[in-house]
Amino acid sequence: MRVKFSSILLILTVLLLGCKDKVVEPATESATNKWIYEQMNYWYYWNAEIPKTPDYSKSPKDFFSSLLYKYDATLRPNGDRFSWIQESATELEESLSGKTTTTGMEFKLSYYPAGSKSVIGLATYILPNSPAQKAGFKRGDFFMAINGESLTADNYSKLIATEGTLSYTLGEINQEGIIVATSNSRSVGQEVIQANPVYFDTLYVKEGKTIGYLVYNQFYPEPYQSGTGEYDKKLETIIGNFKSKGATALILDLRYNPGGYVSSATQLASLIGKVTTNDIFYYKEYNSNVTPDLTKKYGESFFYDKFKSKAQNIGSQLDNLIVLTSTGTASASELLINGLKPFMKVSVIGGKTVGKNVGSITLTNEEGGIKYGLQPIVTKSFNSLHQSDYSTGFVPEVSVTEGLKLYPFGSPEDPLLGEALFKITGIRTTRVAAKSTLSFDTSDEIMSSISKKAGGSNMFFDK
C-alpha cells in the first residue's frame, strides 16, 4: 500500500510496498470498502466519529462519504469539509502534482446579471503553451456558451465537464459597460499538461522602494515523478534575484493558490521569513491511534517542521510582506501565513481565505487491486505558538475583489496589486472606476476551475 503523508495538502514521506510490474486483478466493491474502512479507522483525524457498523453494500464513493464526520455549521462546526475519494489513484497523484487533462484555461463562473440564472465564464489565467493559449485565450476573456449552449444555473456543471474539443462563444463589454455575447467563438482541445505553479514575477521601483512581486499558483516542488525539484529551485532563483536587486518589500500573490505540498510551503517560507533554522514553521497533530506509532517510528521531530537554511533568504531586508488572497486561497497558502506570523508582520489583502487548518494524506493500494485513491484529513496544523485559529479563514487587512474586468498580472491597475503597492508606497495607482454592471459580489460567484482541482477549497469528494 502506498501512503503519502501530507498536511495542508500534501507529501512529507512516501512508504512504498509491493510491486506494480505484475498484473493485479481489480478488487471487488466489498473488498474495496473493507480497505477504505481500515484506512479511515486508523488514519482519519475524526476516527472516533466513524460509524461502527457502516453499510458495506454501498458503492465505494458513497461508502467513503458515509464514514465522514461532515461539517455542519450548527451541529459540527469543527467537522470535515475537505476529505475526498477519487476513482483513479493514478489520476489523484498526478493532479496533486499539477498534471491534468485540460484546455489550459483556468476560469471562474458567475451569475450575470447578478441575481439571474444566466452564467458567464471568466478566464483567470492561461497555462503557457496550452491549447487555450494557442487558441488565443488570455486572462480576462469572457465566454457565454460552450458548444453552442448558453451557460445557465441548470447546465453549467454538465457543460464544463464536457470531454474533447470545446467551442467557447466569447463575450465582450459593450459601450454601456454590459457583458454581452458576440458572434465569435474559439475551439479548444484538451491534452495532458504539467502546469508550472511559479507563474509570474517582476520587480517595481516606486517612490524609492524596490518591490518584488510573485504569482504562485500551487505548492508542489517539481513535475510529476521527476525528482528534479525544478519549481522549488525556481522559487530560489526568483527570491534570490529580488534579494540581489535590493527589494525591501515582497508581494506574494496567492489569490489562485488552493494549496499543495508542505515541503514547498516550507521552502517558500524559508526563503521569505525573518527566521533561523532553529525556528519551528509548523506543528501537526494526529489522532490517538496514529500518534504513538509515528512517535515510535520517527521520534518527536516528525511532528514539526523547522525552517530551512537558504542563501537566498530575503526576510531580513523586508519591511513589507503582503500576501494577496481570495475566497479560494487555502491550505498550504494559509499554512504559510500562519507559520510566518510569529516571526514577522504579514499583511493580507484581498478576500477572506478558506480556513483549511487541517491536512491530508494520499492513500492508495493499486498492488492490492484497489483502483481508488483516498485523500482523508488526518492532521490539524499549528504554528510555533501553537496557534491554529483560522478555521474560518484569514480576514484581510484590506478587503478587495478583482471584479469582472481583469488586468494582466503585474499591472498596477489590478485592484489587489494596486492596493498592495499603495500600502508600500503611500501613492495610490490611478484607475478608471469600473462600471456598476461590472462590480462584483462574491456571492454571485458559483465556482472556479481552481476550486475543483484535487485539494482545492471546494473539493470534498467526487460525486
Side-chain angles (χ1 to χ4, degrees), residues 2 28 51 55 85 111 161 175 182 237 325 362 392:
R2 180 177 298 170
T28 64
D55 182 359
I85 183 173
Y111 291 115
Q175 291 183 343
T182 71
T237 299
T325 62
T362 304
T392 58

Side-chain angles (χ1 to χ4, degrees), residues 129-442:
N129 302 312
S130 66
Q133 186 188 60
K134 293 171 185 177
F137 273 101
K138 62 185 184 301
R139 171 171 162 81
D141 282 347
F142 297 104
F143 58 92
M144 318 293 282
I146 296 177
N147 293 342
E149 288 191 59
S150 297
L151 291 161
T152 69
D154 299 320
N155 68 11
Y156 75 84
S157 183
K158 176 195 72 173
L159 292 176
I160 64 172
T162 304
E163 297 181 352
T165 299
L166 303 177
S167 177
Y168 294 92
T169 300
L170 303 183
E172 66 178 10
I173 303 171
N174 67 15
Q175 291 183 343
E176 287 73 42
I178 298 171
I179 303 169
V180 295
T182 71
S183 58
N184 299 322
S185 64
R186 294 181 186 141
S187 292
V188 184
Q190 300 181 57
E191 62 184 46
V192 177
I193 295 176
Q194 173 65 62
N196 184 339
V198 189
Y199 192 81
F200 179 87
D201 66 278
T202 192
L203 273 165
Y204 306 93
V205 178
K206 293 180 177 290
E207 304 301 315
K209 299 178 185 294
T210 302
I211 306 162
Y213 174 63
L214 170 63
V215 179
Y216 186 50
N217 289 335
Q218 202 165 356
F219 289 83
Y220 47 87
E222 62 207 8
Y224 178 62
Q225 292 188 336
S226 71
T228 61
E230 175 186 341
Y231 306 141
D232 277 358
K233 292 175 183 175
K234 181 65 173 176
L235 291 175
E236 291 179 349
T237 299
I238 291 170
I239 301 301
N241 180 57
F242 290 168
K243 180 180 181 178
S244 67
K245 295 295 176 60
T248 57
L250 174 63
I251 303 169
L252 180 61
D253 195 336
L254 302 180
R255 76 180 80 178
Y256 300 130
N257 194 315
Y261 287 65
V262 159
S263 62
S264 291
T266 305
Q267 165 84 350
L268 183 54
S270 299
L271 287 167
I272 64 179
K274 291 183 179 179
V275 295
T276 72
T277 54
N278 291 322
D279 293 323
I280 301 292
F281 175 43
Y282 86 108
Y283 292 96
K284 53 187 179 292
E285 174 187 84
Y286 289 81
N287 69 36
S288 59
N289 281 356
V290 177
T291 299
D293 290 347
L294 293 178
T295 302
K296 182 177 180 180
K297 188 173 182 67
Y298 299 108
E300 292 292 339
S301 63
F302 180 83
F303 297 93
Y304 59 82
D305 268 13
K306 289 186 174 182
F307 292 94
K308 311 299 182 184
S309 176
K310 296 292 177 182
Q312 303 89 349
N313 177 278
I314 197 175
S316 62
Q317 69 187 53
L318 290 182
D319 298 323
N320 288 277
L321 172 60
I322 298 175
V323 181
L324 305 185
T325 62
S326 73
T327 55
T329 302
S331 201
S333 295
E334 295 170 300
L335 178 71
L336 181 84
I337 295 168
N338 196 51
L340 289 176
K341 276 182 171 290
F343 304 101
M344 60 196 301
K345 168 68 174 174
V346 182
S347 297
V348 176
I349 290 176
K352 185 179 180 181
T353 65
V354 169
K356 191 175 182 183
N357 63 343
V358 290
S360 62
I361 59 174
T362 304
L363 296 171
T364 66
N365 189 16
E366 291 172 278
E367 66 275 10
I370 307 295
K371 66 177 182 177
Y372 289 86
L374 310 181
Q375 199 73 28
I377 295 300
V378 302
T379 64
K380 184 175 181 179
S381 296
F382 304 80
N383 64 19
S384 63
L385 301 179
H386 293 276
Q387 296 166 332
S388 185
D389 53 355
Y390 59 98
S391 62
T392 58
F394 286 107
V395 177
E397 180 180 312
V398 181
S399 181
V400 186
T401 60
E402 60 185 4
L404 292 177
K405 180 175 175 56
L406 302 186
Y407 295 87
F409 286 115
S411 169
E413 297 294 290
D414 171 70
L416 278 74
L417 177 57
E419 194 65 42
L421 291 172
F422 170 66
K423 179 176 177 61
I424 295 166
T425 65
I427 304 298
R428 187 170 292 282
T429 302
T430 301
R431 285 201 305 117
V432 176
K435 299 269 188 178
S436 60
T437 54
L438 296 182
S439 63
F440 183 67
D441 186 329
T442 54

Side-chain angles (χ1 to χ4, degrees), residues 91-109:
E91 288 180 4
L92 170 62
E93 292 174 334
E94 289 178 346
S95 61
L96 292 171
S97 294
K99 184 178 180 181
T100 56
T101 299
T102 176
T103 64
M105 177 172 62
E106 302 295 355
F107 59 87
K108 60 184 175 183
L109 300 180

